[in-house]
Amino acid sequence: MPKEPVAVVGIGQTKHVAARRDVSLAGLVREAAVRALQDAALTWADIDAVVIGKAPDFFEGVMMPELYLADALGAVGKPMLRVHTAGSVGGSTALVAANLVAARVHRTVLTLAFEKQSESNAMWGLSLPIPFQQPLLAGAGGFFAPHVRAYMRRTGAPDTVGSLVAYKDRRNALKNPYAHIHDPDITLEKVQSAPMLWDPIRYSETCPSSDGACAMILTDRTGADRSPHPPAWVHGGAMRSEPTLFAGKDFVSPQAGKDCAADVYRQAGISDPRREIDAVEMYVPFSWYEPMWLENLGFADEGEGWKLTEAGVTELDGDLPVNPSGGVLSTNPIGASGMIRFAEAALQVRGRAGEHQVDGARRALGHAYGGGAQFFSMWLVGAEPPTR
Amino acid sequence: MRDVAIVAFAQTDHLRRTDELSEVEMLMPVLHQVLDTTGLRTSDIGFTCSGSSDYLAGRAFSFTMALDGVGAHPPISESHVEMDGAWALYEAWVKIQTGEADTALVYAYGKSSPGQVRDVLTRQLDPYYTAPLWPDSVALAALQAQALIDAGDTDEAALAALAARSREAASDNPHAQLSGAVPAGDYLVRPLRTGDCPPIGDGAAAVILAAGDTARALCERPAWIRGIDHRIEAHGLGVRELTESPSTRLAAERAGVFERPVDTAELHAPFSSQEVVLRKALGLDDRVRVNPSGGALAANPLMAAGLIRLGEAAARIHRGESDRALAHATSGPCLQQNLVAVLEGESTHA
């Protein structure tokens, strides 16, 4: 029996900020969930199951917070699953929820991801004691900077490309009312003159620490028929993982990312992603990951990704807009960041992205990654129901 | 629904401490064992899912290291729940239901020994109002036990007898941490004595799931998952009737437990008093063999103990010792979240 088609009929986000001191963890997640229910014109009683995700529990200092959050998310008496796949978790969580509908185990599922980084200290949460981590890694930037350097050396990309991405994403964020960083005075010069943190990554090319949550309502064909607004349809979704470290690992373009994209394109019947996909919400926590992932995801040949960025192809009004929402560079509640990518892709094909809407977006890719560039999750959503 | 079965199960010996082993080293033998049992290699597996908790490991992203033990290159389709491995099995079962995979490797592990597990588990509670008071897991279970005694559902002697029966059964389980004549002991938190409480220990488990004819090819007598469901209750103990487990009851209904009698039940009841609650919710009488493995009172490696219940029930079906078994897993204080599955051997499904 073929899978049940899965539709996104409700999306809700909080306004992402550095610290939401006015709400508890429960208040934060409920805000996003209520907005998703309102978008779908549904109530708590319409929800059959809840799938929740976030990155490490140490970020808020609560072990298995889904237990505490069951009440706030209307999950009492229902199934509740908690997903954790590092930085890719927001995407993986949405895919687990989508599978519940696709397998016809449930008809309508609430999926939500969050991070309230202000409750605790993410730097401490990520600082693993020796011998679990090499002593020279200073935060995520310290881990990823050498791989950016390797990309630059491998492709001959000029060192100005990273700042172009940051300048673009921060300008896009000004059009997104939920984005964390709104800097109306942003200029390219400002980005390029920011302090160097982990050479070649400048402060202005890094993601913020945010409090925020993102929720989606996923449903079957019957549920989609009742939706007051156009749904986004899931045309393909996949997860791939590879080990953190091993001889032969390509940190610039991990095999797991390539395989994951290939699986999604196969499911969605995409043979030329560059031409057939209208918008991309890509997990870019450090600016240079845009050109790197353009290659990893098959939008550019190896060594050519930076040329698309430099030519303005990935601008909001370009041929292949990347991160019209402002992306992770503008908003980063870590555990929610992947789901925001998935949700923003869905908003684009629903035509409900507001000021950052890409004209005529019919197919969009949501992408997330995590760990030491080892966990990948992606989905491709379309304005029309899948035909295969 | 596709027919999906547990076709292989392995677990470590559960030990009070395993200082000399990393989590990956603890896990590797059980991964190899289930793969060897079926003749599958990592690259043959359609989907992999694991369950564990960073809070037990004391470090963020602890599961990323465990993945190294799986040998995930070329890359694999893989996911992780920050829950007991029973829920990882559920996610894998859903994945197979979509038709995107025919086989799945599920594993779970937990080392409770590096920290003070009673303190660690307080971090599961409401972080603003409850957790700052550090009410530990034994104290919360004792509240539940006292509520049962006050309601006339059990008494201390009955609880002691129940614990003794579990550990007597565990004498046949070479992996158990506590077995045989374990004394009832002194009060740990009234009315619970040490004998009413689970041992603290380290351990890991793995199972392989397969669909339809694949399962038949991999296992002589697959343990078919006829139904599986899980439900959660409110977190605040003040709004729950602790002598009942409505989430277990509902999950059991959805899993089809009450359609026909079961002959065996593997219940994840870390405290003797919780078996009383679960037996009532599941309507189990003395004709049902409960916890022939010894249950969580004999070995309770956190995050793996629920998956082990599914594995133990399946293994009895594999060996022809059960035709229709119930398996249960729990999470959260005082049985807040519960999963129930019904497993059957082929012969009863004509």
Side-chain angles (χ1 to χ4, degrees):
Chain A
M1 191 165 63
K3 286 188 290 183
E4 177 71 24
V6 181
V8 185
V9 294
I11 294 172
Q13 291 182 58
T14 57
K15 161 67 182 156
H16 307 287
V17 293
R20 278 294 300 273
R21 300 198 197 285
D22 60 320
V23 287
S24 62
L25 290 165
L28 183 79
V29 296
R30 192 168 171 96
E31 201 173 286
V34 165
R35 285 177 185 161
L37 286 169
Q38 285 168 346
D39 184 17
L42 295 176
T43 69
W44 294 105
D46 297 309
I47 301 300
D48 301 322
V50 179
V51 184
I52 185 170
K54 66 178 266 33
D57 291 4
F58 287 116
F59 281 1
E60 288 84 8
V62 186
M63 179 185 185
M64 302 163 77
E66 71 279 4
L67 296 165
Y68 149 66
L69 294 172
D71 306 52
L73 290 174
V76 172
K78 296 174 184 174
M80 188 171 194
L81 268 172
R82 158 70 194 288
V83 180
H84 179 6
T85 64
S88 68
V89 63
S92 308
T93 305
L95 292 176
V96 173
N99 280 345
L100 284 169
V101 177
R104 298 187 178 86
V105 174
H106 297 297
R107 304 192 72 160
T108 303
V109 177
L110 167 68
T111 186
L112 180 137
F114 76 97
E115 207 75 71
K116 199 160 187 288
Q117 295 201 54
S118 67
E119 294 276 322
S120 185
N121 185 320
M123 191 71 188
W124 175 242
L126 278 180
S127 295
L128 311 184
I130 298 165
F132 298 125
Q133 182 167 295
Q134 302 89 323
L136 293 174
L137 300 180
F143 183 83
F144 290 116
H147 311 318
V148 170
R149 189 54 83 184
Y151 174 77
M152 295 168 76
R153 193 181 61 242
R154 198 188 280 188
T155 64
D159 59 11
T160 50
V161 171
S163 56
L164 293 176
V165 175
Y167 179 49
K168 166 186 67 91
D169 283 2
R170 296 275 163 77
R171 275 180 293 134
N172 289 350
L174 291 170
K175 298 176 186 294
N176 175 3
Y178 295 109
H180 175 174
I181 295 187
H182 280 159
D183 178 5
D185 303 321
I186 186 91
T187 62
L188 185 58
E189 293 67 37
K190 239 169 109 173
V191 172
Q192 288 170 338
S193 62
M196 191 64 84
L197 284 188
W198 303 276
D199 192 0
I201 300 172
R202 292 182 184 278
Y203 177 70
S204 55
E205 297 173 69
T206 65
C207 50
S209 286
S210 313
D211 283 1
C214 178
M216 288 191 286
I217 313 285
L218 308 181
T219 190
D220 59 9
R221 199 187 286 274
T222 311
D225 287 343
R226 288 196 291 260
S227 171
H229 304 297
W233 294 93
V234 179
H235 288 237
M239 298 185 225
R240 285 293 183 286
S241 309
E242 65 183 38
T244 325
L245 303 163
F246 63 98
K249 170 150 176 159
D250 186 349
F251 280 100
V252 171
S253 188
Q255 189 64 42
K258 290 183 191 174
D259 291 0
C260 191
D263 190 1
V264 170
Y265 299 154
R266 177 190 57 77
Q267 293 173 40
I270 299 264
S271 52
D272 184 351
R274 170 86 167 80
R275 292 200 159 60
E276 295 174 67
I277 293 174
D278 304 316
V280 185
E281 281 283 344
M282 188 188 277
Y283 205 101
V284 179
F286 302 102
S287 63
W288 278 93
Y289 270 89
E290 176 178 300
M292 291 164 73
W293 293 146
L294 281 170
E295 296 171 26
N296 189 247
L297 297 174
F299 292 107
D301 289 339
E302 211 159 295
E304 304 285 313
W306 63 270
K307 293 177 185 168
L308 296 189
T309 298
E310 197 176 47
V313 170
T314 59
E315 295 273 347
L316 183 51
D317 58 0
D319 187 36
L320 181 72
V322 174
N323 290 329
S325 69
V328 180
L329 277 177
S330 305
T331 305
N332 188 37
I334 297 177
S337 290
M339 189 172 287
I340 297 171
R341 307 280 70 71
F342 278 43
E344 286 285 349
L347 281 175
Q348 288 293 342
V349 300
R350 296 176 77 202
R352 289 173 65 79
E355 271 191 74
H356 63 286
Q357 177 70 45
V358 173
D359 278 345
R362 307 295 290 170
R363 277 189 282 201
L365 183 72
H367 159 268
Y369 84 107
Q374 63 185 129
F375 303 115
F376 293 83
S377 60
M378 303 173 204
W379 80 4
L380 193 131
V381 285
E384 304 294 334
T387 52
R388 40 202 287 137
Chain B
M1 288 286 136
R2 298 181 82 190
D3 283 337
V4 176
I6 295 175
V7 296
F9 167 57
Q11 60 183 317
T12 57
D13 290 342
H14 306 294
L15 303 168
R16 177 60 187 88
R17 31 187 354 110
T18 53
D19 296 339
E20 73 289 4
L21 294 176
S22 72
E23 288 165 345
V24 180
E25 290 167 324
M26 193 172 71
L27 187 58
M28 287 290 276
V30 296
L31 292 175
H32 284 296
Q33 203 180 324
V34 288
L35 290 168
D36 290 348
T37 303
T38 54
L40 296 171
R41 290 171 302 180
T42 302
S43 54
D44 300 323
I45 298 287
F47 183 65
T48 300
C49 199
S50 60
S52 66
S53 166
D54 281 346
Y55 258 77
L56 295 176
R59 59 194 168 99
F61 299 138
S62 69
F63 65 93
T64 64
M65 308 295 173
L67 187 64
D68 294 1
V70 177
H73 198 78
I76 58 172
S77 175
E78 188 261 354
S79 184
H80 171 259
V81 297
E82 191 82 355
M83 306 176 80
D84 188 287
W87 278 267
L89 183 146
Y90 180 82
E91 184 183 329
W93 174 81
V94 171
K95 180 78 174 181
I96 294 175
Q97 291 302 333
T98 67
E100 291 169 13
D102 293 327
T103 53
L105 170 65
V106 179
Y107 61 89
Y109 59 91
K111 290 183 69 159
S112 301
S113 62
Q116 299 295 322
V117 73
R118 286 169 70 178
D119 290 344
V120 171
L121 289 174
T122 65
R123 304 300 89 190
Q124 281 188 337
L125 303 168
D126 173 329
Y128 305 104
Y129 296 105
T130 314
L133 304 172
W134 297 86
D136 77 37
S137 47
V138 179
L140 296 176
L143 278 176
Q144 189 171 29
Q146 188 61 50
L148 284 165
I149 291 171
D150 292 347
D153 287 345
T154 190
D155 56 38
E156 290 187 35
L159 294 178
L162 187 157
R165 192 216 71 230
S166 278
R167 283 160 185 146
E168 177 55 37
S171 300
D172 296 331
N173 178 355
H175 304 288
Q177 188 177 336
L178 285 185
S179 62
V182 175
D186 297 326
Y187 286 116
L188 198 53
V189 180
R190 271 181 195 272
L192 295 178
R193 297 172 182 270
T194 50
D196 293 306
C197 302
I200 296 169
D202 303 347
V207 308
I208 287 179
L209 300 182
D213 287 342
T214 308
R216 291 182 192 96
L218 293 172
C219 180
E220 201 169 309
R221 191 166 192 260
W224 298 103
I225 300 171
R226 296 300 180 206
I228 184 167
D229 193 75
H230 60 101
R231 301 280 152 169
I232 197 165
E233 293 177 35
H235 184 63
L237 297 181
V239 297
R240 286 166 55 193
E241 172 51 74
L242 294 180
T243 63
E244 308 281 346
S245 184
S247 57
T248 300
R249 176 88 191 173
L250 184 56
E253 275 170 19
R254 304 287 299 212
V257 169
F258 306 119
E259 288 164 17
R260 277 198 309 288
V262 296
D263 55 44
T264 305
E266 277 286 342
L267 305 181
H268 184 191
F271 297 91
S272 59
S273 43
Q274 293 180 341
E275 185 179 313
V276 176
V277 179
L278 293 169
R279 276 176 175 270
K280 192 162 62 163
L282 294 164
L284 301 178
D285 59 30
D286 291 342
R287 284 171 295 184
V288 180
R289 180 119 198 250
V290 174
N291 287 341
S293 69
L297 284 167
N300 189 39
L302 296 182
M303 305 303 136
L307 181 64
I308 290 169
R309 305 281 73 75
L310 285 146
E312 287 281 5
R316 289 187 75 76
I317 288 172
H318 295 163
R319 294 194 297 263
E321 295 165 7
S322 168
D323 290 322
R324 181 173 158 91
L326 179 157
H328 160 268
T330 195
S331 176
C334 300
L335 304 170
Q336 187 192 345
Q337 189 174 21
N338 295 284
L339 178 146
V340 177
V342 177
L343 305 176
E344 284 182 0
E346 193 90 71
S347 59
T348 60
H349 184 68

